[in-house]
Amino acid sequence: MAAPRSGQESVKAEPSAGSQGSSGVEVVLLSDPAAPAPLCPHELGPTLLFVKVSQGKEETRRFYACSACRDRKDCNFFQWEDEKLSGVRLAAREAYNQRCRPPLSRLQCVQRYLRFTELPLTQRKFCQSCQQLLLPDEWGEHREHQVVGDIAITQLRRPSQLLYPLENKKTNAQYLFADRTCHFLVGLLPALGFRRVLCVGTPRLHELIRLTASGDKKSNLKSLLLDIDFRYSQFYMEDGFCRYNMFNHHFFDGKPALEVCRAFLQEESGEGVIMVTDPPFGGLVEPLAITFKKLITLWKEGQGQDDSHQEMPIFWIFPYFFEARICQFFPSFSMLDYQVDYDNHALYKHGKTGRKQSPVRIFTNIPPNKIILPTEEGYRFCPLCQRYVSLENQHCEHCNSCTSKDGRKWKHCFLCKKCVKPSWIHCSICSRCTVADHSCEGPKDGCFICGELGHKRSSCSNIGTPKKARAVRNQKQRKRSKMKMETTKGQSMNHTSVTRKKKKRERAHQYLCS
Ligand code: SAH
Ligand code: ZN
Ligand code: ZN
Ligand code: ZN
Ligand code: ZN
């Protein structure tokens, strides 16, 4: 499953979940970079190389930006690829980096955790302001803060309830699984025969697995959490948590942490392990796919020769509208109909009707007929599709499949020769089905040069075609192009104009709610 990578691969930055707009920034993935990427101020590992693109233009300039923080408010790292930094600027950056680092080392965290658990209940305090467990000699410094006392061992085992979920939209939005989903997963994984779960960005699943395992001697499910949120390092020993950036496969605590992960994946020659990941939806699919392939490689290295054709089982939790994109990188994946829902996400709640249904699904390389979805929640088995589907998802005899993606009953369009959302209409101008109140020349998420869907700028055959043919297209797209120029000007990749942001939001809203 190694990534077929040409020397240089360039992909347009994905719009945020549900949005059909496109941004003017592409990420460039070099298999053989001339120079190592600079490190990001927050030590999130190497930055990614991006390229600014303007529609209809071929000249580009490349720059490094933070891989994890797509919002420039959170990480203002920016450096042109060909830029030479002065000693003064390098020193300033280093000083800034120092300030951004977590206050405690991994080892310190482990030692503190051990000391903390030995304290009597009345001395176990947690500072909500600092999101930190306090030892008695630190109480003084936190006198003015929000401090809660009597932290029980059971609370220590559920850090996702003690810590507040990070709310930053693009970087670190933490959407914690609702109990319904978490219990479903914790029941499903051992039923599928798994004994170890690599939790990548799933802290609540990790803690529930450990909680279940400690309460039930029969369940010997083990779990290792990889997450960028260093607050979790206070609650786990080295073999339970590694601070990790899933956008660039970076272990913050270096080789020892990588070895923890390797040992976990390669235990029992890699038998019985599954990776479950729930990345932030604002993230780019491609860097994630490349990271997951690196984890797959790590797992494969521990396998015997005759197992080499096998794939590491994966659950990748992501919104359904990323299906094509994910399957592009992982052709063996299929999307389950199960609706993943969250505690702290108003839009993503499980529900029988209408708009409140979660768009988040599980993508997996496990055969879908093996994954039994709960009938008490209305899922049923379709013998023709050989998979469990939601109640409203009906088998279309023309498509020969249960076609709904969003949990509602879809209708077949004979002109489009496929099933579409129930509220969509077939527009004769666009000659396709779409939302009723659309503008017929509305933006399409296509190639920056020719505007066609289905390929990207880097592989556009129109590079070098007669200027006239392109001029016609360019004229058509001038409005959109103008918008894009705004977003690519200056140093920001995300300083979108307010109107564009608003438009994008509206489109996302329209898309989700149509
Ligand atoms: N539903 C999951 C949480 C998903 S929220 C659960 O309940 O367990 C996304 C998670 O990914 C958060 O825990 C967040 O800290 C983590 N995350 C965000 N950016 C990351 C990055 N670059 N690398 C690793 N983890 C990241
Ligand atoms: Zn079916
Ligand atoms: Zn159909
Ligand atoms: Zn149609
Ligand atoms: Zn139209």
Side-chain angles (χ1 to χ4, degrees):
M1 289 181 69
R5 301 253 306 276
S6 52
Q8 178 182 326
E9 202 175 354
S10 142
V11 166
K12 196 185 313 152
E14 251 103 7
S16 53
S19 153
Q20 291 178 310
S22 51
S23 88
V25 176
E26 296 187 1
V27 59
V28 182
L29 296 150
L30 296 171
S31 52
D32 189 18
L39 293 178
C40 146
H42 302 88
E43 254 199 5
L44 301 172
T47 46
L48 288 179
L49 187 57
F50 291 88
V51 61
K52 292 199 318 177
V53 221
S54 321
Q55 192 136 27
K57 290 204 176 174
E58 281 154 38
E59 63 272 37
T60 52
R61 195 173 175 196
R62 304 199 298 194
F63 64 89
Y64 292 103
C66 176
S67 67
C69 310
R70 289 181 63 210
D71 197 325
R72 311 254 311 152
K73 285 204 296 293
D74 305 308
C75 179
N76 61 3
F77 186 95
F78 182 91
Q79 185 184 327
W80 292 112
E81 188 186 19
D82 50 12
E83 191 178 353
K84 292 265 174 298
L85 291 191
S86 69
V88 177
R89 268 190 70 194
L90 279 174
R93 178 180 289 172
E94 180 49 31
Y96 180 67
N97 289 3
Q98 204 63 51
R99 288 201 302 277
C100 293
R101 270 169 210 150
L104 301 164
S105 74
R106 189 71 191 92
L107 185 65
Q108 281 173 312
C109 285
V110 167
Q111 288 166 344
R112 288 170 58 90
Y113 175 77
L114 291 173
R115 274 184 67 196
F116 193 89
T117 52
E118 280 163 8
L119 293 171
L121 181 68
T122 51
Q123 291 187 27
R124 289 201 294 259
K125 295 184 197 288
F126 174 74
C127 177
Q128 287 179 327
S129 317
C130 303
Q131 294 283 292
Q132 199 184 316
L133 297 172
L134 302 180
L135 294 172
D137 49 329
E138 296 158 345
W139 293 348
E141 301 160 42
H142 299 264
R143 222 190 327 265
E144 312 282 302
H145 297 179
Q146 288 277 352
V147 174
V148 279
D150 292 354
I151 303 294
I153 296 296
T154 50
Q155 284 175 287
L156 286 180
R157 291 193 176 151
R158 301 233 59 185
S160 80
Q161 292 181 338
L162 204 56
L163 302 166
Y164 57 71
L166 299 174
E167 268 172 4
N168 178 307
K169 277 209 190 63
K170 291 202 183 77
T171 320
N172 228 345
Q174 282 178 322
Y175 295 123
L176 298 166
F177 293 132
D179 282 347
R180 185 189 75 87
T181 290
C182 222
H183 284 113
F184 165 69
L185 290 171
V186 171
L188 176 66
L189 298 172
L192 289 169
F194 295 110
R195 296 180 294 277
R196 296 189 312 288
V197 187
L198 183 71
C199 287
V200 182
T202 56
R204 181 158 281 180
L205 177 65
H206 174 67
E207 71 193 28
L208 194 69
I209 290 172
R210 294 188 148 219
L211 214 57
T212 312
S214 71
D216 172 7
K217 288 281 161 293
K218 280 201 302 295
S219 158
N220 53 357
L221 202 55
K222 294 207 295 182
S223 178
L224 170 64
L225 174 63
L226 310 184
D227 199 288
I228 203 162
D229 184 351
F230 61 77
R231 299 174 306 167
Y232 282 97
S233 54
Q234 302 175 76
F235 301 90
Y236 300 108
M237 306 293 283
E238 285 104 325
D239 63 352
F241 173 80
C242 302
R243 191 166 174 235
Y244 177 72
N245 184 349
M246 66 167 109
F247 289 111
N248 57 10
H249 186 58
H250 176 71
F251 286 89
F252 291 82
D253 297 292
K255 196 142 189 302
L258 169 67
E259 291 311 319
V260 166
C261 179
R262 184 201 303 280
F264 189 83
L265 288 176
Q266 297 183 357
E267 201 178 308
E268 297 184 60
S269 315
E271 271 291 299
V273 76
I274 181 171
M275 178 183 108
V276 181
T277 183
D278 187 9
F281 306 145
L284 294 154
V285 169
E286 182 164 40
L288 289 171
I290 288 169
T291 291
F292 301 154
K293 286 178 197 247
K294 286 185 179 153
L295 289 168
I296 291 167
T297 304
L298 199 59
W299 170 78
K300 274 211 167 139
E301 284 166 10
Q303 288 217 302
Q305 291 268 290
D306 37 319
D307 294 324
S308 56
H309 60 280
Q310 283 198 13
E311 288 182 21
M312 177 168 83
I314 292 177
F315 275 180
W316 178 346
I317 296 167
F318 229 49
Y320 69 80
F321 29 80
F322 284 98
E323 182 181 19
R325 196 80 180 111
I326 291 178
C327 293
Q328 198 183 333
F329 290 102
F330 294 100
S332 64
F333 280 24
S334 57
M335 187 176 89
L336 305 180
D337 227 18
Y338 181 79
Q339 295 186 7
V340 173
D341 51 53
Y342 298 91
D343 257 359
N344 52 339
H345 203 302
L347 202 63
Y348 299 175
K349 280 263 162 71
H350 175 82
K352 293 257 181 295
T353 49
R355 324 205 141 193
K356 283 281 164 66
Q357 297 200 57
S358 165
V360 183
R361 303 288 181 271
I362 300 169
F363 294 87
T364 183
N365 49 359
I366 297 170
N369 62 354
K370 288 197 179 156
I371 301 169
I372 303 170
L373 302 185
T375 48
E376 61 277 16
E377 286 171 28
Y379 296 99
R380 63 176 180 90
F381 188 70
C382 173
L384 296 164
C385 295
Q386 282 292 305
R387 65 178 186 120
Y388 281 81
V389 292
S390 55
L391 196 61
E392 299 279 292
N393 191 356
Q394 293 197 3
H395 194 87
C396 169
E397 56 178 22
H398 310 289
C399 298
N400 191 28
S401 130
C402 289
T403 45
S404 167
K405 306 280 183 196
D406 63 8
R408 292 177 300 167
K409 187 182 168 193
W410 283 23
K411 59 175 188 191
H412 191 82
C413 170
F414 288 94
L415 293 165
C416 294
K417 297 193 184 66
K418 64 174 185 183
C419 285
V420 296
K421 289 187 175 186
S423 55
W424 285 19
I425 51 131
H426 191 90
C427 169
S428 53
I429 300 166
C430 300
S431 56
R432 64 184 182 96
C433 280
T434 184
V435 284
D437 58 341
H438 66 285
S439 67
C440 290
E441 297 98 51
K444 292 192 181 73
D445 196 13
C447 165
F448 276 161
I449 290 170
C450 71
E452 294 280 347
L453 302 168
H455 70 265
K456 305 292 178 186
R457 183 193 63 91
S458 53
S459 50
C460 181
S461 57
N462 281 348
I463 297 180
T465 52
K467 283 216 172 80
K468 204 177 158 199
R470 239 165 46 216
V472 178
R473 283 210 178 273
N474 289 351
Q475 199 184 355
K476 269 194 193 163
Q477 287 157 346
R478 199 163 22 181
K479 227 171 100 190
R480 189 180 156 214
S481 182
K482 216 173 131 199
M483 226 151 76
K484 199 170 306 299
M485 294 296 280
E486 280 175 49
T487 75
T488 54
K489 248 185 245 159
Q491 293 200 336
S492 160
M493 56 183 272
N494 260 313
H495 277 177
T496 3
S497 71
V498 176
T499 48
R500 184 167 145 71
K501 261 196 186 149
K502 203 172 145 218
K503 282 218 172 100
K504 203 167 161 182
R505 247 202 323 272
E506 277 165 7
R507 274 206 303 278
H509 181 80
Q510 193 180 36
Y511 191 69
L512 278 169
C513 299
S514 67

